[in-house]
Amino acid sequence: MSTARLKINLEALAINWRNLDARTNCETAAVVKANGYGLDAARVGKTLADAGARNFFVAAAEEGIALRRAIGPGLGISVFSGHMPGDTKLLKDFQLTPMLNSLDQMLRHFESLPGHPFGIQLDTGMNRLGMEPGEWAAVRGIALAQSPVLIMSHLACSDSPDHGMNEHQLEMFTQMTEGADVPRSLSATGGLLLGPKYHFDLCRPGIGLYGGAPYDAALPVIELEVPVIQTRDLAPGETVGYGNAWTAQRPSRIATLAAGYADGLQRALQNRGIHAYSGAVPCPVVGRVSMDLVTVDISDLDHIPEALTLINESQTVETLATAAGTIGYEILTSLGHRYARTYSS
Ligand SMILES: *Cc1c(COP(=O)(O)O)cnc(C)c1O
């Protein structure tokens, strides 16, 4: 078999949810958009439902289908993108709760699904989704009369605890929701970690559940083990890969591994101090990352390994993200479709 193995530790996922939940006195939901941050929304959802999560969030109504099938009826599934044209049947058939983002969406919802649960998303300064203060002021009475199940907003800078934007959005959210007798939610992972002022009635962490920053205490959830297809010995001066990007300075042994940028190992990882691990021994990734292959200097190993590990406790999703100049979210959601995923719980 020449496909890499992505091991997903569902127990670690559940522990991360419980530990985040323990930091608040409010409800803790779970964000499972983008197929559960690439790890399979159905399995992630089922695991977190068993751990005690009662509400889930997805980005698009379509993402609610597999999740609903996995967690069964009764638990809440909310949709950040609200009620888009064409969503009505999905929202109804799979009991999804749209977070309405505009007057347009509100009218569509009340007209096509009267009595169907909904929430409201407010824009408190991020300028991405949700009703702005003026629009909200105009429709607030009508919206509240229909009893939304949640009013939410989203923080733009919560991964920087000292950023003034956090306080600003908190104040905006408080003002815009004052006097509304409806459960409120402002915080994802970052906001949850900012402390109780930001918690309101429900927090909605995503990345922290999957082991990503800014939740530094998270348990790692994934491990990536990549088979060695071939090894070869190089004399000093010989080069490796496209563009001759790496030159052996000593007699070297190179292992070629079965994963590349088509599997989410970004080309930007070249020369960024990334390693492939044989047990605890780090071996440098050398040369360019190809579409389906990476090359590793295993000269210091005393054996030829069958596989090497690219994501583990020493080199986490965050390590790769920093090396590639991106964030853990992008590493997770780019994990290759070719990987054989195995789940342990
Ligand atoms: C993605 C998202 C979340 C979860 O954010 P994390 O940073 O992954 O915890 C919560 N709310 C909204 C509106 C989102 O788009």
Side-chain angles (χ1 to χ4, degrees):
M1 182 165 116
S2 83
T3 53
R5 290 212 322 160
L6 182 66
K7 299 181 196 170
I8 297 157
N9 184 341
L10 294 173
E11 192 186 356
L13 175 85
I15 292 171
N16 288 337
W17 183 83
R18 284 198 198 96
N19 287 345
L20 283 170
D21 185 44
R23 287 179 177 236
T24 75
N25 288 318
C26 69
E27 177 177 354
T28 304
V31 176
V32 298
K33 61 192 180 190
N35 196 25
Y37 289 48
L39 302 185
D40 188 352
R43 284 189 170 88
V44 164
K46 177 77 172 67
T47 301
L48 296 179
D50 290 346
R54 288 294 161 263
N55 278 290
F56 295 85
F57 289 84
V58 292
E62 285 76 3
E63 296 184 309
I65 301 173
L67 181 62
R68 176 59 73 202
R69 290 187 174 133
I71 66 176
L75 303 182
I77 302 177
S78 297
V79 182
F80 288 138
S81 60
H83 190 150
M84 295 284 284
D87 280 351
T88 305
K89 188 168 163 31
L90 282 179
L91 295 173
K92 179 165 182 281
D93 289 354
F94 294 92
Q95 308 116 55
L96 311 176
T97 306
M99 299 288 118
L100 304 178
N101 289 296
S102 64
L103 173 59
D104 265 9
Q105 289 200 346
M106 222 170 93
L107 294 176
R108 179 178 300 125
H109 188 71
F110 292 167
E111 199 170 293
S112 60
L113 287 179
H116 185 98
F118 69 97
I120 298 284
Q121 184 156 200
L122 300 178
D123 178 11
T124 52
M126 191 173 184
N127 285 312
R128 193 180 67 167
L129 279 182
M131 295 190 219
E132 298 195 7
E135 186 178 19
W136 175 234
V139 303
R140 186 186 142 119
I142 306 166
L144 293 182
Q146 301 292 322
S147 303
V149 297
L150 187 73
I151 302 181
M152 60 164 284
S153 187
H154 194 48
L155 296 169
C157 303
S158 65
D159 53 356
S160 308
D162 298 328
H163 202 297
M165 186 68 168
N166 296 320
E167 283 278 352
H168 171 71
Q169 288 191 269
L170 174 63
E171 203 177 302
M172 288 292 294
F173 188 61
T174 306
Q175 274 177 25
M176 289 170 81
T177 57
E178 210 160 340
D181 187 18
V182 176
R184 294 182 289 178
S185 175
L186 179 60
S187 289
T189 304
L192 187 155
L193 299 172
L194 290 177
K197 273 197 302 186
Y198 288 85
H199 292 171
F200 294 91
D201 301 294
L202 177 147
C203 288
R204 352 169 272 276
I207 192 72
L209 306 171
Y210 308 99
Y215 182 35
D216 298 332
L219 298 182
V221 171
I222 63 170
E223 195 177 300
L224 178 64
E225 197 183 80
V226 189
V228 172
I229 304 176
Q230 208 183 6
T231 60
R232 70 192 68 243
D233 294 326
L234 270 61
E238 285 195 88
T239 57
V240 171
Y242 284 120
N244 292 357
W246 186 82
T247 306
Q249 305 296 321
R250 55 170 179 166
S252 303
R253 179 166 288 165
I254 297 296
T256 304
L257 272 55
Y261 61 76
D263 304 293
L265 299 176
Q266 307 190 6
R267 282 182 86 251
L269 290 171
Q270 177 191 337
N271 282 332
R272 295 292 159 82
I274 292 303
H275 294 86
Y277 285 77
S278 175
V281 182
C283 307
V285 171
V286 298
R288 285 203 189 146
V289 177
S290 308
M291 185 184 292
D292 317 300
L293 305 165
V294 286
T295 34
V296 178
D297 180 359
I298 59 164
S299 309
D300 293 335
L301 293 183
D302 57 8
H303 66 291
I304 293 186
E306 280 182 15
L308 294 168
T309 304
L310 272 165
I311 300 176
N312 59 16
E313 290 198 8
S314 310
Q315 183 168 275
T316 64
V317 167
E318 287 302 321
T319 320
L320 291 188
T322 305
T326 182
I327 51 178
Y329 302 77
E330 193 177 5
I331 298 292
L332 282 169
T333 55
S334 310
L335 288 168
H337 299 291
R338 290 191 284 204
Y339 295 155
R341 286 161 164 74
T342 59
Y343 293 82
S344 62
S345 47

